[in-house]
């Protein structure tokens, strides 16, 4: 029985195997899983988000999977209190909360105290920046950020357009987007053990490519067409995820499905690289290379057992 306020957080790049290891951890230590994935949280987006299957969700209960309507905007400011509410419910059942996912900002919100209430918002400026993005592209938009907030521009990649716009919006109101790595204190709501999963680059990329092929064969194109029929389009935040935006462009006739599949693979590989860069910043993370260590699961379980018994 878990009677201490301790959590386990399992992170890593896409396709590394987080779901599998989180489920095994939940089964071993009487736990339930809170997702930290910004795409799996949406309803109707099952294939493209690599959502845990019905069988996997029966093996261990998952929260924040398949809960939010993709037709509305959803942010980390909303995610954080929802996730912490589920963590408390798991504590109330004397079980172990296991946070699992690859969305770095979601993970940040659970290990640092972040005051979202103070985040400035300017809808008019956001709309104007989106229009500039459409007309001139991400590099031009990033130049605007450089003029407004050079420090933020150095931290934020030009392709992370949502965050670029957010940083411009903040700068225009006299605020600045904080550097999460140095500006926040660790949460005191609970303790956490942070575990990072990795694989050798070649194997990880093979897994990514295979996953994309499986998604395409499973009906990703049809899933996206159904979402379009529900009224969604490329302007919706939920549809900007990798896999969705490329298929939408293919459906518009910009290129064929084979090209779309290759673009999804390429963009997913690049995303995995950015995820690893993000998670490697954490000084207290314990890494396990699943390619090189055949006993990674046993070592991970031993680490968790020691942590829970301390």
């Amino acid at each position: 029985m878990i009677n201490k306020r301790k959590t386990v957080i399992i992170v890593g790049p896409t396709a590394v195997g987080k779901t599998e290891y989180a489920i095994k951890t939940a089964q071993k230590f009487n736990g339930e899983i809170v997702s930290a994935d910004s795409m799996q949280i949406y309803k109707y987006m099952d294939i493209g988000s690599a959502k845990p299957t019905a069988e996997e969700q029966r093996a261990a209960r998952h929260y924040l999977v398949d809960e939010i309507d993709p037709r509305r905007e959803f942010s980390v400011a909303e995610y954080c209190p929802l996730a912490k509410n589920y963590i408390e419910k798991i504590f109330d059942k004397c079980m172990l909360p296991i946070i699992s996912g690859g969305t770095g900002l979601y993970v940040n919100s659970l290990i640092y105290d972040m005051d979202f209430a103070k985040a400035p918002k300017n809808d008019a400026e956001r709309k104007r920046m989106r229009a500039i993005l459409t007309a001139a592209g991400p590099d031009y938009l990033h130049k605007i950020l450089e003029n407004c907030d050079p420090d933020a521009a150095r931290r934020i990649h030009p392709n992370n357009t949502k965050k670029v716009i957010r940083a411009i919006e903040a700068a225009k109101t006299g605020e600045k987007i904080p550097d999460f790595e140095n500006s926040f204190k660790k949460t005191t709501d609970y303790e956490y053990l942070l575990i990072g999963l990795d694989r050798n680059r070649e194997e990880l990329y093979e897994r990514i490519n295979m996953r994309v092929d499986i998604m395409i064969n499973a009906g990703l194109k049809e899933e996206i067409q159904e979402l379009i029929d529900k009224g969604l389009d490329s302007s919706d935040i939920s549809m900007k995820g990798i896999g969705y935006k490329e298929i939408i462009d293919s459906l518009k006739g910009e290129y064929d499905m084979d090209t779309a599949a290759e673009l999804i693979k390429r963009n997913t590989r690049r995303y995995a690289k950015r995820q690893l860069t993000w998670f490697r910043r954490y000084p207290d993370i314990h890494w396990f290379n699943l390619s090189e260590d055949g006993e990674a699961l046993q070592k991970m379980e031993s680490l968790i057992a020691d942590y829970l018994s301390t």
Side-chain angles (χ1 to χ4, degrees):
M1 177 181 293
I2 303 300
N3 56 13
K4 300 177 182 178
R5 295 183 62 80
K6 294 191 174 187
T7 66
V8 172
I9 304 177
I10 300 175
V11 301
T14 185
V16 76
K18 295 184 295 294
T19 296
E20 175 188 352
Y21 279 76
I23 290 172
K24 289 179 178 178
T25 301
Q27 293 173 331
K28 177 76 173 181
F29 295 100
N30 187 35
E32 293 183 338
I33 299 168
V34 178
S35 172
D37 187 293
S38 62
M39 295 302 296
Q40 293 180 359
I41 199 167
Y42 289 116
K43 298 178 180 178
Y44 319 124
M45 307 178 78
D46 302 336
I47 299 172
S49 70
K51 197 171 289 181
T53 65
E55 181 181 358
E56 288 172 328
Q57 294 192 54
R58 286 192 296 270
R61 183 164 185 180
H62 288 66
Y63 299 93
L64 289 177
V65 170
D66 206 36
E67 292 195 18
I68 304 300
D69 192 300
R71 287 166 287 202
R72 77 173 184 87
E73 289 194 9
F74 186 81
S75 69
V76 65
E78 295 177 88
Y79 167 82
C80 182
L82 284 175
K84 287 192 172 184
N85 179 58
Y86 284 130
I87 290 170
E88 290 301 325
K89 287 185 177 181
I90 298 170
F91 279 139
D92 289 344
K93 292 190 280 186
C94 294
M95 298 180 73
L96 173 67
I98 300 164
I99 295 96
S100 174
T103 301
L105 195 55
Y106 281 15
V107 174
N108 252 65
S109 76
L110 297 181
I111 65 176
Y112 294 119
D113 287 327
M114 297 165 60
D115 188 357
F116 299 106
K118 293 182 179 180
K121 186 175 182 180
N122 186 328
D123 290 331
E125 184 66 18
R126 183 175 300 179
K127 185 175 181 180
R128 190 171 76 88
M129 288 301 110
R130 287 175 178 169
I132 290 174
L133 172 62
T134 301
D139 290 335
Y140 185 86
L141 191 71
H142 198 259
K143 290 291 184 183
I144 296 176
L145 177 59
E146 287 181 3
N147 293 329
C148 296
D149 188 345
D151 290 337
R154 281 191 290 270
R155 298 196 309 268
I156 303 171
H157 193 280
N159 290 340
N160 190 350
T161 55
K162 181 180 177 182
K163 194 170 183 181
V164 169
I165 291 174
R166 183 69 186 81
I168 294 171
E169 180 185 345
K172 294 285 188 179
T173 61
E175 302 285 344
K176 288 189 175 183
I177 292 289
D179 180 352
F180 295 139
E181 189 173 3
N182 300 312
S183 300
F184 294 103
K185 294 181 179 179
K186 290 181 180 179
T187 185
T188 56
D189 293 341
Y190 38 72
E191 297 178 40
Y192 67 84
L193 174 66
L194 184 57
I195 292 173
L197 303 182
D198 194 8
R199 294 180 186 268
N200 292 344
R201 185 66 54 86
E202 183 179 346
E203 181 182 351
L204 180 63
Y205 285 1
E206 287 178 358
R207 288 172 63 91
I208 288 171
N209 294 341
M210 184 180 301
R211 172 180 281 186
V212 173
D213 289 336
I214 291 172
M215 288 177 175
I216 298 291
N217 293 331
L220 179 58
K221 178 180 177 181
E222 290 74 19
E223 176 176 274
I224 293 172
Q225 184 60 59
E226 289 179 4
L227 290 166
I228 292 172
D229 294 342
K230 291 180 185 293
L232 287 112
D233 58 37
S234 57
S235 66
D236 291 289
I237 291 177
S238 60
M239 298 290 272
K240 295 183 183 298
I242 297 172
Y244 292 90
K245 59 185 178 181
E246 294 85 356
I247 297 292
I248 289 174
D249 287 343
S250 176
L251 291 172
K252 290 179 179 178
E254 296 187 16
Y255 40 72
D256 59 25
M257 278 297 298
D258 287 341
T259 302
E262 291 306 312
L263 287 172
I264 295 170
K265 292 175 183 178
R266 184 199 69 182
N267 293 338
T268 305
R269 293 193 298 266
R270 290 177 177 177
Y271 176 55
K273 189 175 181 180
R274 295 195 300 272
Q275 287 175 298
L276 284 166
T277 298
W278 178 288
F279 292 126
R280 283 172 178 153
R281 299 182 311 166
Y282 296 128
D284 51 355
I285 192 168
H286 301 265
W287 283 103
F288 293 89
N289 188 310
L290 304 179
S291 300
E292 298 177 357
D293 191 348
E295 298 181 352
L297 177 61
Q298 293 85 345
K299 291 179 179 178
M300 188 171 76
E301 289 179 347
S302 178
L303 176 68
I304 295 170
D306 290 343
Y307 160 72
L308 294 177
S309 64
T310 303

